[in-house]
Amino acid sequence: MKVGFIGLGMQGKYMAINLADAGYDLMVYDTRAEPLKELAAAGAKVAKSNAEVAAHAEVVQVCVLNDAQVEAVVAGPKGLLETAAPGTIIVIHSTIEPATIERLAPLAAAKNVEIMDVPVSGSERGAKAKTMSFMAGGSAEALEKCRPLFATSGPKIQHVGELGTGVRAKLAHQIIISINMMAAYEGMKVGVESGLDPKILEKVIHEGLAQSWIADGWSELSFGPHSRLVFYKDLHLGLKLAHDLGISVPGAGLAQQMLDKIVP
């Protein structure tokens, strides 16, 4: 299968490397030269534009930062839809507004191109370890074609439902993980400041009802400054979705305000 990958950031670079290592006929594009050199060394072809990737690939995976970048990659000048052949599948891994997916889908359908929204969870560490999880919105047929590609970066591939459900699932996921981080931060801070050994406290939490992936190894958990920006953006989108639904989510709002403390 001929595959394209656009967006070689923290997660995307290693997801693309996994595809190259698996032997796919891969073409990549990014606006930065350094990750392109790394992918070339891994055996990928390097494109000069998004449109060149679409001309090459049967499936194009897109892992850029935000809605504006997704729209530019897919439907902008020298975008994917300029050269994508009928039957091409465009997979959007970025966490964006459901409304953006809904705007792009008919533009793609007019060219007999299919869009899937498949946000991911696992960050750079998960991409390197090939333990990522995928939340797939779109047709079951498109997912089955793409499943082997996703599996190069992780085995947890869940078909959430129709187009647009993948990003909704990711926003719900980000609200939960952010509030979880806030809970772990507050509980660990109280325990450690009161004199408890953090390793012993982590073991206590692991063996009790407070156990979570976030709490496990909290003292060694590290996301970094870039991740704080990503969480802020994702919570902004999650809060907007909740507002549109008329749902009050005060915990998510507070977590967004505390990201500089709760995202280690």
Side-chain angles (χ1 to χ4, degrees), residues 112-156:
N112 293 315
V113 171
E114 187 167 358
I115 285 182
M116 295 189 71
D117 60 309
V118 189
V120 294
S121 178
S123 72
E124 178 182 358
R125 179 173 59 179
K128 286 180 178 179
K130 302 180 182 180
T131 58
M132 300 192 79
S133 59
F134 295 78
M135 312 159 209
S139 74
E141 294 78 13
L143 175 57
E144 290 314 305
K145 183 171 183 178
C146 296
R147 186 181 293 274
L149 307 179
F150 303 160
T152 64
S153 288
K156 294 169 283 188

Short mmCIF file of all heavy atoms in Angstrom, two decimals, residues 112-156:
data_model
loop_
_atom_site.label_atom_id
_atom_site.label_comp_id
_atom_site.label_asym_id
_atom_site.label_seq_id
_atom_site.Cartn_x
_atom_site.Cartn_y
_atom_site.Cartn_z
N ASN A 112 -14.85 12.13 -4.45
CA ASN A 112 -14.83 10.70 -4.14
C ASN A 112 -13.65 10.32 -3.25
O ASN A 112 -13.05 9.26 -3.40
CB ASN A 112 -14.83 9.86 -5.42
CG ASN A 112 -16.13 9.98 -6.19
OD1 ASN A 112 -17.21 9.92 -5.60
ND2 ASN A 112 -16.03 10.20 -7.49
N VAL A 113 -13.33 11.22 -2.33
CA VAL A 113 -12.29 10.98 -1.34
C VAL A 113 -12.98 10.85 0.01
O VAL A 113 -13.92 11.58 0.32
CB VAL A 113 -11.27 12.14 -1.32
CG1 VAL A 113 -10.31 12.01 -0.15
CG2 VAL A 113 -10.51 12.19 -2.64
N GLU A 114 -12.52 9.92 0.83
CA GLU A 114 -13.14 9.67 2.13
C GLU A 114 -12.27 10.22 3.26
O GLU A 114 -11.04 10.07 3.22
CB GLU A 114 -13.36 8.17 2.34
CG GLU A 114 -14.15 7.83 3.59
CD GLU A 114 -14.63 6.40 3.63
OE1 GLU A 114 -14.38 5.67 2.64
OE2 GLU A 114 -15.26 6.01 4.62
N ILE A 115 -12.91 10.83 4.23
CA ILE A 115 -12.20 11.34 5.41
C ILE A 115 -12.56 10.49 6.61
O ILE A 115 -13.70 10.06 6.78
CB ILE A 115 -12.55 12.82 5.66
CG1 ILE A 115 -11.82 13.71 4.65
CG2 ILE A 115 -12.19 13.25 7.08
CD1 ILE A 115 -12.04 15.19 4.84
N MET A 116 -11.56 10.23 7.45
CA MET A 116 -11.77 9.62 8.76
C MET A 116 -11.20 10.54 9.82
O MET A 116 -10.16 11.18 9.59
CB MET A 116 -11.08 8.26 8.85
CG MET A 116 -11.60 7.19 7.94
SD MET A 116 -10.86 5.60 8.37
CE MET A 116 -11.70 5.26 9.94
N ASP A 117 -11.84 10.63 10.96
CA ASP A 117 -11.25 11.33 12.10
C ASP A 117 -10.81 10.26 13.10
O ASP A 117 -11.62 9.53 13.64
CB ASP A 117 -12.22 12.34 12.72
CG ASP A 117 -13.51 11.71 13.23
OD1 ASP A 117 -14.14 10.97 12.46
OD2 ASP A 117 -13.89 11.97 14.39
N VAL A 118 -9.49 10.20 13.30
CA VAL A 118 -8.90 9.14 14.14
C VAL A 118 -7.87 9.75 15.09
O VAL A 118 -6.66 9.61 14.90
CB VAL A 118 -8.26 8.03 13.29
CG1 VAL A 118 -7.86 6.85 14.16
CG2 VAL A 118 -9.21 7.57 12.17
N PRO A 119 -8.33 10.48 16.11
CA PRO A 119 -7.38 11.00 17.10
C PRO A 119 -6.65 9.86 17.81
O PRO A 119 -7.13 8.72 17.84
CB PRO A 119 -8.27 11.78 18.07
CG PRO A 119 -9.52 12.05 17.32
CD PRO A 119 -9.70 10.89 16.40
N VAL A 120 -5.52 10.20 18.37
CA VAL A 120 -4.68 9.19 19.03
C VAL A 120 -4.39 9.61 20.46
O VAL A 120 -4.49 10.78 20.82
CB VAL A 120 -3.36 8.99 18.27
CG1 VAL A 120 -3.61 8.37 16.90
CG2 VAL A 120 -2.59 10.31 18.11
N SER A 121 -4.02 8.63 21.26
CA SER A 121 -3.60 8.87 22.63
C SER A 121 -2.33 8.07 22.88
O SER A 121 -2.22 6.93 22.44
CB SER A 121 -4.68 8.46 23.63
OG SER A 121 -4.25 8.67 24.96
N GLY A 122 -1.40 8.68 23.59
CA GLY A 122 -0.15 7.97 23.89
C GLY A 122 1.06 8.86 23.87
O GLY A 122 2.10 8.50 24.41
N SER A 123 0.96 10.00 23.20
CA SER A 123 2.05 10.98 23.11
C SER A 123 3.29 10.38 22.45
O SER A 123 3.25 9.29 21.87
CB SER A 123 2.39 11.56 24.48
OG SER A 123 3.05 10.62 25.30
N GLU A 124 4.39 11.11 22.53
CA GLU A 124 5.64 10.67 21.90
C GLU A 124 6.09 9.32 22.46
O GLU A 124 6.54 8.45 21.71
CB GLU A 124 6.71 11.73 22.15
CG GLU A 124 8.09 11.38 21.59
CD GLU A 124 9.12 12.44 21.91
OE1 GLU A 124 8.77 13.45 22.53
OE2 GLU A 124 10.30 12.24 21.56
N ARG A 125 5.94 9.16 23.77
CA ARG A 125 6.36 7.91 24.40
C ARG A 125 5.60 6.72 23.83
O ARG A 125 6.18 5.68 23.54
CB ARG A 125 6.15 8.00 25.92
CG ARG A 125 6.53 6.73 26.67
CD ARG A 125 6.46 6.94 28.17
NE ARG A 125 5.13 7.32 28.60
CZ ARG A 125 4.81 7.53 29.88
NH1 ARG A 125 5.73 7.42 30.82
NH2 ARG A 125 3.58 7.88 30.21
N GLY A 126 4.29 6.87 23.65
CA GLY A 126 3.48 5.79 23.11
C GLY A 126 3.81 5.48 21.67
O GLY A 126 3.81 4.31 21.26
N ALA A 127 4.12 6.52 20.89
CA ALA A 127 4.49 6.29 19.50
C ALA A 127 5.81 5.53 19.40
O ALA A 127 5.96 4.62 18.58
CB ALA A 127 4.59 7.62 18.76
N LYS A 128 6.77 5.90 20.26
CA LYS A 128 8.05 5.19 20.25
C LYS A 128 7.88 3.73 20.68
O LYS A 128 8.50 2.83 20.10
CB LYS A 128 9.03 5.88 21.21
CG LYS A 128 9.60 7.19 20.72
CD LYS A 128 10.56 7.76 21.76
CE LYS A 128 11.21 9.04 21.31
NZ LYS A 128 12.12 9.59 22.34
N ALA A 129 7.05 3.52 21.70
CA ALA A 129 6.88 2.17 22.25
C ALA A 129 5.86 1.34 21.49
O ALA A 129 5.68 0.16 21.78
CB ALA A 129 6.47 2.27 23.72
N LYS A 130 5.17 1.97 20.52
CA LYS A 130 4.13 1.29 19.73
C LYS A 130 2.99 0.80 20.62
O LYS A 130 2.49 -0.32 20.47
CB LYS A 130 4.73 0.14 18.92
CG LYS A 130 5.84 0.59 17.98
CD LYS A 130 6.42 -0.56 17.17
CE LYS A 130 7.57 -0.08 16.29
NZ LYS A 130 8.16 -1.16 15.49
N THR A 131 2.56 1.68 21.54
CA THR A 131 1.48 1.36 22.45
C THR A 131 0.32 2.34 22.33
O THR A 131 -0.52 2.44 23.23
CB THR A 131 1.98 1.36 23.90
OG1 THR A 131 2.54 2.66 24.21
CG2 THR A 131 3.04 0.30 24.13
N MET A 132 0.25 3.08 21.25
CA MET A 132 -0.76 4.11 21.10
C MET A 132 -2.16 3.51 20.95
O MET A 132 -2.33 2.37 20.55
CB MET A 132 -0.45 4.99 19.88
CG MET A 132 0.88 5.69 19.96
SD MET A 132 1.07 6.96 18.71
CE MET A 132 0.10 8.27 19.45
N SER A 133 -3.16 4.34 21.28
CA SER A 133 -4.55 3.94 21.05
C SER A 133 -5.18 4.89 20.04
O SER A 133 -4.82 6.08 19.97
CB SER A 133 -5.35 3.95 22.36
OG SER A 133 -5.33 5.24 22.95
N PHE A 134 -6.11 4.35 19.26
CA PHE A 134 -6.74 5.08 18.15
C PHE A 134 -8.25 5.08 18.35
O PHE A 134 -8.85 4.05 18.62
CB PHE A 134 -6.40 4.42 16.82
CG PHE A 134 -4.94 4.46 16.46
CD1 PHE A 134 -4.04 3.57 17.05
CD2 PHE A 134 -4.46 5.38 15.54
CE1 PHE A 134 -2.69 3.60 16.73
CE2 PHE A 134 -3.11 5.41 15.21
CZ PHE A 134 -2.23 4.53 15.81
N MET A 135 -8.87 6.26 18.18
CA MET A 135 -10.32 6.42 18.30
C MET A 135 -10.86 6.78 16.92
O MET A 135 -10.73 7.92 16.48
CB MET A 135 -10.64 7.52 19.31
CG MET A 135 -9.88 7.39 20.61
SD MET A 135 -9.76 8.95 21.54
CE MET A 135 -8.21 8.70 22.40
N ALA A 136 -11.43 5.82 16.23
CA ALA A 136 -11.73 5.97 14.81
C ALA A 136 -13.18 6.33 14.55
O ALA A 136 -14.10 5.59 14.92
CB ALA A 136 -11.37 4.69 14.06
N GLY A 137 -13.38 7.46 13.88
CA GLY A 137 -14.68 7.84 13.37
C GLY A 137 -14.68 7.75 11.86
O GLY A 137 -13.74 8.19 11.20
N GLY A 138 -15.74 7.19 11.28
CA GLY A 138 -15.81 7.01 9.84
C GLY A 138 -16.34 5.63 9.51
O GLY A 138 -16.79 4.89 10.38
N SER A 139 -16.27 5.27 8.23
CA SER A 139 -16.84 4.00 7.82
C SER A 139 -16.01 2.83 8.29
O SER A 139 -14.78 2.91 8.41
CB SER A 139 -16.97 3.95 6.29
OG SER A 139 -15.71 3.78 5.68
N ALA A 140 -16.70 1.71 8.55
CA ALA A 140 -16.01 0.49 8.97
C ALA A 140 -15.10 -0.02 7.87
O ALA A 140 -14.02 -0.57 8.15
CB ALA A 140 -17.03 -0.58 9.35
N GLU A 141 -15.50 0.17 6.61
CA GLU A 141 -14.68 -0.30 5.49
C GLU A 141 -13.37 0.46 5.42
O GLU A 141 -12.30 -0.14 5.21
CB GLU A 141 -15.46 -0.13 4.17
CG GLU A 141 -16.70 -1.00 4.04
CD GLU A 141 -17.89 -0.47 4.82
OE1 GLU A 141 -17.85 0.71 5.28
OE2 GLU A 141 -18.88 -1.23 4.98
N ALA A 142 -13.42 1.77 5.60
CA ALA A 142 -12.18 2.56 5.58
C ALA A 142 -11.28 2.18 6.74
O ALA A 142 -10.05 2.08 6.59
CB ALA A 142 -12.51 4.05 5.63
N LEU A 143 -11.87 1.93 7.90
CA LEU A 143 -11.07 1.55 9.06
C LEU A 143 -10.33 0.24 8.81
O LEU A 143 -9.15 0.12 9.15
CB LEU A 143 -11.94 1.42 10.30
CG LEU A 143 -11.23 0.89 11.56
CD1 LEU A 143 -10.04 1.76 11.92
CD2 LEU A 143 -12.20 0.79 12.73
N GLU A 144 -11.00 -0.73 8.21
CA GLU A 144 -10.34 -2.00 7.98
C GLU A 144 -9.17 -1.87 7.01
O GLU A 144 -8.16 -2.56 7.15
CB GLU A 144 -11.34 -3.04 7.47
CG GLU A 144 -12.33 -3.48 8.54
CD GLU A 144 -11.67 -3.79 9.88
OE1 GLU A 144 -10.75 -4.62 9.91
OE2 GLU A 144 -12.07 -3.19 10.89
N LYS A 145 -9.28 -0.96 6.05
CA LYS A 145 -8.16 -0.73 5.15
C LYS A 145 -7.00 -0.08 5.89
O LYS A 145 -5.82 -0.39 5.64
CB LYS A 145 -8.57 0.15 3.97
CG LYS A 145 -7.44 0.37 2.96
CD LYS A 145 -7.92 1.07 1.70
CE LYS A 145 -6.77 1.20 0.70
NZ LYS A 145 -7.22 1.85 -0.57
N CYS A 146 -7.33 0.81 6.84
CA CYS A 146 -6.29 1.56 7.55
C CYS A 146 -5.76 0.83 8.78
O CYS A 146 -4.70 1.19 9.29
CB CYS A 146 -6.85 2.92 7.98
SG CYS A 146 -7.31 4.01 6.61
N ARG A 147 -6.48 -0.15 9.26
CA ARG A 147 -6.12 -0.80 10.52
C ARG A 147 -4.66 -1.27 10.55
O ARG A 147 -3.95 -1.05 11.55
CB ARG A 147 -7.07 -1.95 10.81
CG ARG A 147 -6.86 -2.59 12.19
CD ARG A 147 -7.83 -3.74 12.41
NE ARG A 147 -9.21 -3.30 12.49
CZ ARG A 147 -9.80 -2.88 13.60
NH1 ARG A 147 -9.10 -2.86 14.74
NH2 ARG A 147 -11.06 -2.49 13.59
N PRO A 148 -4.15 -1.93 9.50
CA PRO A 148 -2.74 -2.36 9.55
C PRO A 148 -1.76 -1.19 9.68
O PRO A 148 -0.71 -1.35 10.31
CB PRO A 148 -2.55 -3.09 8.21
CG PRO A 148 -3.92 -3.48 7.78
CD PRO A 148 -4.81 -2.39 8.26
N LEU A 149 -2.12 -0.03 9.13
CA LEU A 149 -1.26 1.14 9.26
C LEU A 149 -1.24 1.61 10.71
O LEU A 149 -0.18 1.88 11.27
CB LEU A 149 -1.75 2.27 8.36
CG LEU A 149 -1.96 1.95 6.88
CD1 LEU A 149 -2.48 3.18 6.15
CD2 LEU A 149 -0.67 1.45 6.25
N PHE A 150 -2.41 1.72 11.32
CA PHE A 150 -2.48 2.15 12.71
C PHE A 150 -1.75 1.17 13.63
O PHE A 150 -1.09 1.57 14.59
CB PHE A 150 -3.94 2.29 13.16
CG PHE A 150 -4.78 3.22 12.33
CD1 PHE A 150 -6.16 3.13 12.35
CD2 PHE A 150 -4.21 4.19 11.52
CE1 PHE A 150 -6.96 3.98 11.60
CE2 PHE A 150 -4.99 5.05 10.75
CZ PHE A 150 -6.37 4.94 10.79
N ALA A 151 -1.88 -0.11 13.31
CA ALA A 151 -1.31 -1.15 14.17
C ALA A 151 0.20 -1.09 14.25
O ALA A 151 0.80 -1.64 15.18
CB ALA A 151 -1.75 -2.53 13.69
N THR A 152 0.85 -0.40 13.31
CA THR A 152 2.31 -0.25 13.41
C THR A 152 2.70 0.62 14.60
O THR A 152 3.85 0.59 15.04
CB THR A 152 2.90 0.36 12.12
OG1 THR A 152 2.40 1.69 11.94
CG2 THR A 152 2.57 -0.50 10.90
N SER A 153 1.75 1.41 15.13
CA SER A 153 2.05 2.29 16.27
C SER A 153 1.29 1.90 17.54
O SER A 153 1.51 2.51 18.58
CB SER A 153 1.73 3.74 15.92
OG SER A 153 2.67 4.27 15.01
N GLY A 154 0.42 0.92 17.46
CA GLY A 154 -0.29 0.49 18.67
C GLY A 154 -1.44 -0.44 18.37
O GLY A 154 -2.07 -0.34 17.32
N PRO A 155 -1.77 -1.33 19.31
CA PRO A 155 -2.77 -2.35 19.06
C PRO A 155 -4.20 -1.95 19.41
O PRO A 155 -5.15 -2.66 19.05
CB PRO A 155 -2.31 -3.49 19.98
CG PRO A 155 -1.70 -2.78 21.15
CD PRO A 155 -1.05 -1.54 20.57
N LYS A 156 -4.37 -0.82 20.11
CA LYS A 156 -5.71 -0.46 20.61
C LYS A 156 -6.39 0.45 19.59
O LYS A 156 -6.15 1.66 19.56
CB LYS A 156 -5.58 0.21 21.97
CG LYS A 156 -5.05 -0.74 23.05
CD LYS A 156 -4.67 -0.01 24.32
CE LYS A 156 -3.35 0.71 24.21
NZ LYS A 156 -2.86 1.26 25.48
#
